Amino acid sequence: MAFDLIIRNGTVVRETEETADVAIEGESIVQIAPSIVGAAKQEIDAKGLHVFPATIDPHVHFNDPGRSEWEGIATGSAALAAGGGACFFDMPLNSTPSTLDGLSFDAKLAIAQSQSHTDFGLWGGLTPGNLDKLEELAQRGVVGLKAFMCDSGIDDFARADDWTLFRGMLLARQLGLIVAVHAENQDITAGLQELARSKGLSGVRDYLKSRPQVAEIEAISRAITIAGETGCRLHIVHVSTSRGIELIARARAEGVDVTCETCPHYLVLTADDAIGLGALAKCAPPLRSPEDRNALWDHLAAGRIDFVASDHSPAPMEMKTAPNFFDVWGGVAGVQSTLAALTTQSHIVNPPAIARVTSGNIARRFGIERKGRLEPGFDADITLVDLAAKFELKRDMLLDRHKLSPFVGLTLRGRVKQTLLRGKTICQDGKVTSPPAGKLVRPAKV
């Protein structure tokens, strides 16, 4: 039997790690076995490499249309592919217009179809002004609805107050959609920022103090309560604290349908790094203590964290420079580094667990069929990784638009050698090798 491609002799990462061959026909995996007999039009010798399911990043801000000078789908998806990814879900902001109705979805879809190097899903927004548009977003295939419980920083993406969140979650349940929330208490964060400014405080430490753990913990608790009452499926994005993860785990044990993600910057960096790195490490919620960082690794190893997502949120350097740190645009650029941040610590979280939090759990939670696992019948979205290879991340390795990553200069372990999208190589040794060919993915009907 002749296959289109056989990847031979690699360590295939599924529920366990096993030396095996992977046969591909067209866009799909058709066989995985210790030794596949038969010819292929092309073969890849993956001896010494781990064969992972390519990552899915469910939380990126590529800012097309309208703010492509901040990033753009072309450059953002190229960086994702270089980091081992074959699919992303783009957030409804910071594009202009935000994805709040059918027309704005259509505008973003047209750009992504022409420019994305990877497959993609699109989030819709949940704001006070677009509750009557949620159905048309659902009909077009959004992966879920995103709400901010504090100010988003974008004028056309308003904060969802509790009344909006309650009504939106009821509608989302009817539409079969997940609601994702940025969980920080608006009154606490705005009040502390106003107090700091009134005292002339403007440094990194002052910003960190203005977004304390209690603001995140309270908002997570409130979102869980509303989701539990409405029966809505809930996802908490970028959880930065151990207490937040514990709260979510407890709610899940009590029957609330809630999942969560954290980000590489919370796993790798701390508040001390933010003081040294400055604008490159400004994010909300902010970087936390070394104790929280270490506890997040423990939660990840224990399976309490469902995804690791980049929350890639770049901006031009001129927006990252201001004498008052409160005025610096926040957002960490790290879409290319998620997998390497995890494989560097594969002694804490093993390769099968890494595959789950970067692909399998994401596809399962959002109902993206044929994605996220190395199994016959699934899309041949594959990344080949040399887990033994150590490298220093240098700025010229990055493919995103501005290359303003706080991870530059770190020594990482686990170099991505090759990324395949539906059976075709799209990136090899850090270089994009094919034109854009990404397709929209839609959640299965619930």
Side-chain angles (χ1 to χ4, degrees):
M1 183 177 183
F3 301 98
D4 289 325
L5 172 65
I6 298 177
I7 301 172
R8 294 197 183 274
N9 307 314
T11 301
V12 177
V13 180
R14 296 196 281 179
E15 288 305 310
T16 60
E17 302 168 64
E18 56 183 326
T19 300
D21 297 344
V22 181
I24 297 163
E25 287 184 15
E27 298 185 341
S28 303
I29 297 169
V30 293
Q31 186 179 352
I32 299 175
S35 181
I36 293 176
V37 177
K41 296 174 185 176
Q42 180 188 1
E43 291 196 3
I44 297 172
D45 185 1
K47 186 176 182 179
L49 303 179
H50 275 66
V51 183
F52 278 89
T55 66
I56 301 169
D57 195 328
H59 191 157
V60 302
H61 298 265
F62 286 166
N63 309 324
D64 248 333
R67 289 191 175 95
S68 58
E69 73 275 11
W70 290 20
E71 179 60 274
I73 285 172
T75 50
S77 63
L80 173 69
C87 187
F88 64 87
F89 301 165
D90 195 54
M91 283 293 171
L93 70 167
N94 307 314
S95 54
T96 300
S98 295
T99 311
L100 297 175
D101 56 23
L103 290 178
S104 53
F105 179 97
D106 295 343
K108 182 174 286 191
L109 175 61
I111 293 171
Q113 287 175 326
S114 66
Q115 296 186 15
S116 183
H117 292 280
T118 68
D119 287 347
F120 57 89
L122 302 180
W123 285 92
L126 170 54
T127 70
N130 81 319
L131 294 180
D132 61 336
K133 304 297 184 182
L134 300 186
E135 185 171 359
E136 62 189 61
L137 287 168
Q139 290 172 345
R140 280 166 167 79
V142 291
V143 295
L145 302 170
K146 171 70 177 297
F148 269 73
M149 298 177 73
C150 60
D151 287 343
S152 72
I154 298 296
D155 290 340
D156 71 352
F157 201 94
R159 172 175 65 91
D161 56 29
D162 290 348
W163 177 228
T164 297
L165 207 56
F166 178 76
R167 290 180 295 158
M169 285 188 178
L170 285 172
L171 287 168
R173 184 195 65 191
Q174 295 170 13
L175 296 169
L177 290 175
I178 291 172
V179 170
V181 296
H182 178 129
E184 286 184 288
N185 181 292
Q186 169 65 17
D187 290 340
I188 293 173
T189 56
L192 287 172
Q193 177 176 320
E194 182 179 352
L195 182 62
R197 286 181 180 273
S198 71
K199 294 179 177 180
L201 303 175
S202 61
V204 179
R205 287 184 176 87
D206 305 312
Y207 171 77
L208 296 174
K209 291 177 181 177
S210 76
R211 303 189 91 97
Q213 287 199 25
V214 64
E216 184 176 9
I217 300 304
E218 189 282 330
I220 289 173
S221 178
R222 187 158 30 101
I224 287 171
T225 299
I226 298 172
E229 289 297 313
T230 59
C232 175
R233 293 185 295 153
L234 175 66
H235 181 67
I236 312 292
V237 299
H238 50 50
V239 181
S240 68
T241 68
S242 178
R243 289 173 61 197
I245 301 298
E246 291 163 2
L247 186 60
I248 292 160
R250 185 162 57 250
R252 187 155 43 200
E254 294 171 354
V256 180
D257 190 351
V258 56
T259 50
C260 66
E261 70 190 44
T262 193
C263 306
H265 40 279
Y266 300 122
L267 292 167
V268 175
L269 305 172
T270 69
D272 292 336
D273 295 305
I275 294 165
L277 290 164
L280 298 185
K282 183 180 179 181
C283 53
L287 298 179
R288 303 294 188 186
S289 69
E291 292 75 20
D292 265 303
R293 178 193 60 187
N294 296 340
L296 288 178
W297 280 109
D298 291 339
H299 288 307
L300 193 61
R304 300 185 195 100
I305 297 173
D306 301 280
F307 319 152
V308 178
S310 71
D311 189 11
H312 181 76
S313 188
M317 191 63 207
E318 56 266 28
M319 296 180 65
K320 306 288 282 185
T321 305
N324 188 322
F325 198 72
F326 286 101
D327 296 329
V328 169
W329 182 263
V332 169
V335 71
Q336 194 169 325
S337 307
T338 299
L339 185 60
L342 293 172
T343 55
T344 299
Q345 302 293 336
S346 58
H347 60 289
I348 300 175
V349 182
N350 65 26
I354 292 171
R356 286 193 290 273
V357 299
T358 60
S359 54
N361 289 354
I362 299 162
R364 189 176 301 108
R365 178 61 166 164
F366 291 96
I368 308 302
E369 298 177 334
R370 295 173 53 89
K371 296 287 190 187
R373 290 160 53 199
L374 301 182
E375 298 291 345
F378 278 63
D379 285 353
D381 295 348
I382 295 170
T383 185
L384 305 181
V385 182
D386 184 353
L387 284 188
K390 290 185 177 181
F391 65 98
E392 180 186 340
L393 185 65
K394 297 181 179 179
R395 192 176 179 191
D396 62 8
M397 296 176 180
L398 299 173
L399 301 188
D400 63 293
R401 186 174 297 279
H402 299 292
K403 304 173 174 47
L404 299 175
S405 169
F407 304 119
V408 167
L410 295 181
T411 297
L412 302 172
R413 184 169 62 84
R415 183 184 286 275
V416 173
K417 302 296 291 181
Q418 193 165 346
T419 304
L420 288 79
L421 170 66
R422 290 180 271 109
K424 304 295 184 184
T425 297
I426 57 171
C427 194
Q428 188 157 9
D429 294 323
K431 306 295 182 184
V432 172
T433 58
S434 61
K439 296 181 181 180
L440 176 71
V441 298
R442 298 166 56 106
K445 297 294 183 182
V446 176

